Amino acid sequence: MTALVPLVVLVPLLGAAAALIVPGRRRVQQGVTLVSLIVVTALGGTLMWAVDVHGMLVMEVGGWAAPFGIALVVDRVSALMITVSAVVLLAVFVFSLGQGLADGDEETPVSIYYPTYLVLGAGVCNAFVAGDLFNLYVSFEILLVASYVLITLGGTTARIRAGITYVVVSLVSSILFLATIGLVYGATGTVNMAQLSVRIAELPDNIQLILNLMLVIAFGIKAAVFPLAFWLPDSYPTAPAPVTAVFAGLLTKVGVYAIIRTQTQMFPESSIDGLLLVVAGLTLVVGILGAVSQLDIKRLLSFTLISHIGYMIFGIGMANAAGFAATIYYIAHHIIVQTTLFLAVGLIERHGGSTSLASLGGMLRSAPIIAILFFIPMLNLGGIPPFSGFIGKLGLFTVAADLASPGAYWLMGIGAAVSLLTLYALARVWVLAFWRPRVTSDAQPLKTASSEAIMLREREEAMLETLHDAPDAQPQREQRETPKLMTAATAGMVGISVLLTVFAGPLYGYATRAGDNMAHPSQLLQAVLGDHDGPGGGSGTTEPDDSSPIDITEEIEGSDIP
């Protein structure tokens, strides 16, 4: 099974190379991309089963044993993230395929879009299997290069401006991360995460605090936590609909994944857990306040994206196995639901010619399928029972109640209020875009309308005046036919979001076992470095949870590993 681990990175990279060889042959590129993503999805599902049954998988690249070589590690968390990410990449690809067949290369130039898309997928998967900090840094750089190409597709002024902002912010994060890697190596002599779980604990408390804060800040920029999320609302909405959807679903979660790895494996006794809870609360509040003031649906969803990152940091900050389990489940839920909503907004933009609520209306009658495809994930993100959003938040609140601390109670209240405000903001989109009649040039003048119609329209106009449109709002475009393939891809994602609820029991059980793994970093140490005195040499797998984990901290400290 260990041979499958590098394939989740190699398959999309080889697919990207194959697509670049035939830049002018659209169908060949599409076929290569489709096959690559299907293979990665199958690999992810297989790895989920393998690590749940047989334990953690470790691949030593080039035969060089850790900590000297590069170790690729797959546990329950990384396998779940690979599978969910591959599903999202596949669904968004099908969506973009339908858009490309209808519009040609206007939004997704075929010669560069598909290879870059596969490189992005390779970067995401590599981040999830990275067993050392430098390999994780390489993953972020792959993502940065691919993201810049995708975010600037079309070459419009707004997209290039957003791309420059995105690159500058990402470079600052990368420089900080690289500098921290240098400091970590200077202080411990290694960048292998398993070995760092032992060696960082031997450092003075002030050095641990500095290294911990630097890593959290670097990853916090990528995860878009407050106050480091200023770049996101102006970057993601300008990209083409498929790119916006995959960015919103995946890229910030890579940053969250890096934070949870850092806190559980390198700093299991972190002194900043309380600070993380404060950051979680501020991220929840500031993000949702930005969302309720937006007129453009894409920017509104971008702010809800920031806000709901706060739920994930909430779970990490509670620093126990149950909190990690709730966070893992919520990350999987949010990747699926947030991507689904952005795909639905892509359908709204196509049918209505705009994403501004001032220009939309009457779509419940003219596009009932789109209305349903938006309504279901809207309820899910708002946390309405019995959807997965409710289950994930209930898991977080249950852990907080068990902690019984004032800070945890405060965050429970904030989380509940943010959930209601999320539902309010999305319900307003529903009312204005789908429920109310569309305002047209030949609409009935207010003077001749009924008193109820006059009152309703005046209320709508007053509400719209209080909202803020996107800074680079585009003029309304003509309505375009919505290809069935785009609708089918969105419907498929809605179906998957419903399955998260139907199979919530097994999935939450899986997340619980994953959270227990993360709460015991000695299991990673055993899998990567082995249980003998010589350097390197994990066996490639660990025993499943029904066996007692071996505590080999003393053996590693007494060995000749540098």
Side-chain angles (χ1 to χ4, degrees):
M1 284 294 181
T2 56
L4 299 180
V5 175
L7 291 181
V8 298
V9 181
L10 288 176
V11 168
L13 282 180
L14 293 175
L20 281 173
I21 295 175
V22 287
R25 303 181 66 179
R26 174 198 295 265
R27 295 297 176 88
V28 175
Q29 284 195 330
Q30 291 170 347
V32 168
T33 305
L34 179 62
V35 171
S36 299
L37 294 177
I38 290 175
V39 171
V40 174
T41 304
L43 288 171
T46 303
L47 289 173
M48 280 186 67
W49 169 82
V51 297
D52 199 35
V53 174
H54 301 293
M56 202 177 302
L57 299 176
V58 180
M59 174 69 181
E60 296 167 342
V61 178
W64 289 91
F68 306 112
I70 297 174
L72 303 180
V73 183
V74 175
D75 60 2
R76 290 185 175 95
V77 181
S78 52
L80 176 62
M81 293 298 101
I82 290 169
T83 304
V84 173
S85 300
V87 169
V88 165
L89 287 166
L90 181 59
V92 174
F93 164 73
V94 175
F95 185 94
S96 66
L97 193 62
Q99 179 175 287
L101 292 175
D103 300 340
D105 298 342
E106 177 184 354
E107 294 288 340
T108 54
V110 68
S111 61
I112 193 65
Y113 172 74
Y114 296 120
T116 308
Y117 190 77
L118 286 173
V119 170
L120 180 79
V124 169
C125 292
N126 193 60
F128 292 144
V129 302
D132 62 81
L133 289 179
F134 191 77
N135 196 21
L136 183 61
Y137 169 78
V138 171
S139 304
F140 283 146
E141 294 309 293
I142 294 173
L143 289 175
L144 174 60
V145 173
S147 300
Y148 179 73
V149 174
L150 293 173
I151 209 170
T152 56
L153 284 176
T156 64
T157 302
R159 290 177 183 175
I160 293 176
R161 185 186 303 117
I164 292 174
T165 302
Y166 178 80
V167 166
V168 170
V169 172
S170 297
L171 282 176
V172 170
S173 173
S174 296
I175 291 171
L176 180 59
F177 185 21
L178 186 61
T180 309
I181 291 175
L183 293 176
V184 168
Y185 185 79
T188 64
T190 184
V191 293
N192 183 278
M193 291 186 190
Q195 198 171 28
L196 284 173
S197 66
V198 174
R199 295 201 172 181
I200 284 184
E202 299 171 350
L203 298 175
D205 291 344
N206 58 339
I207 301 299
Q208 291 187 47
L209 178 62
I210 292 173
L211 296 178
N212 196 358
L213 285 174
M214 291 182 69
L215 285 174
V216 167
I217 292 172
F219 298 147
I221 296 174
K222 297 182 182 297
V225 300
F226 179 83
L228 307 172
F230 60 90
W231 57 272
L232 191 148
D234 292 329
S235 298
Y236 286 6
T238 61
V243 175
T244 302
V246 79
F247 278 23
L250 293 182
L251 296 195
T252 52
K253 310 311 183 301
V254 176
V256 174
Y257 175 84
I259 292 175
I260 196 172
R261 283 294 186 196
T262 298
Q263 295 304 112
T264 58
Q265 294 181 3
M266 295 172 57
F267 303 94
E269 303 296 331
S270 175
S271 60
I272 68 167
D273 291 333
L275 176 61
L276 288 178
L277 293 178
V278 173
V279 169
L282 292 173
T283 304
L284 284 165
V285 172
V286 173
I288 200 59
L289 291 180
V292 298
S293 66
Q294 297 304 312
L295 187 64
D296 184 85
I297 307 177
K298 284 185 177 180
R299 280 179 62 83
L300 186 152
L301 288 178
S302 295
F303 276 103
T304 63
L305 169 61
I306 294 172
S307 178
H308 285 240
I309 294 295
Y311 286 112
M312 305 169 202
I313 305 301
F314 179 15
I316 297 172
M318 288 188 286
N320 57 38
F324 299 146
T327 300
I328 292 163
Y329 180 85
Y330 199 85
I331 291 174
H333 144 80
H334 196 262
I335 289 174
I336 297 295
V337 174
Q338 193 78 41
T339 304
T340 305
L341 279 170
F342 270 100
L343 292 181
V345 172
L347 299 180
I348 293 172
E349 182 178 22
R350 190 172 189 89
H351 181 84
S354 175
T355 55
S356 175
L357 294 175
S359 305
L360 296 171
M363 290 184 62
L364 182 59
R365 176 174 296 181
S366 62
I369 295 178
I370 297 177
I372 295 172
L373 295 180
F374 183 85
F375 186 73
I376 295 175
M378 175 192 84
L379 296 180
N380 202 337
L381 191 68
I384 297 298
F387 289 108
S388 57
F390 170 77
I391 296 170
K393 291 168 187 172
L394 180 62
L396 290 169
F397 295 166
T398 301
V399 179
D402 291 339
L403 287 179
S405 65
Y409 285 136
W410 267 104
L411 275 176
M412 286 175 63
I414 292 172
V418 167
S419 186
L420 292 175
L421 287 173
T422 301
L423 187 60
Y424 162 75
L426 294 175
R428 188 182 63 204
V429 172
W430 168 266
V431 170
L432 295 178
F434 295 97
W435 191 260
R436 70 162 179 166
R438 187 178 185 120
V439 179
T440 58
S441 58
D442 57 347
Q444 186 179 12
L446 286 179
K447 292 182 179 180
T448 61
S450 65
S451 59
E452 292 182 358
I454 292 174
M455 184 180 300
L456 182 60
R457 196 176 301 177
E458 287 177 347
R459 287 179 179 176
E460 290 175 353
E461 291 175 354
M463 181 172 60
L464 291 173
E465 288 177 359
T466 64
L467 303 178
H468 302 282
D469 209 347
D472 297 308
Q474 300 297 315
Q476 185 170 356
R477 303 173 64 175
E478 294 183 0
Q479 296 183 7
R480 292 175 289 176
E481 181 183 358
T482 304
K484 294 181 180 179
L485 205 55
M486 296 174 68
T487 305
T490 309
M493 287 295 290
V494 171
I496 293 171
S497 70
V498 173
L499 290 177
L500 291 179
T501 302
V502 175
F503 296 100
L507 182 58
Y508 206 98
Y510 182 95
T512 300
R513 295 189 293 275
D516 186 66
N517 288 153
M518 304 204 84
H520 298 89
S522 60
Q523 296 179 14
L524 174 72
L525 192 66
Q526 178 187 353
V528 176
L529 297 181
D531 56 355
H532 52 79
D533 294 335
S539 64
T541 62
T542 61
E543 293 298 320
D545 288 343
D546 55 0
S547 62
S548 300
I550 300 174
D551 186 1
I552 60 167
T553 301
E554 295 182 359
E555 296 181 19
I556 296 297
E557 289 177 346
S559 70
D560 57 351
I561 298 175

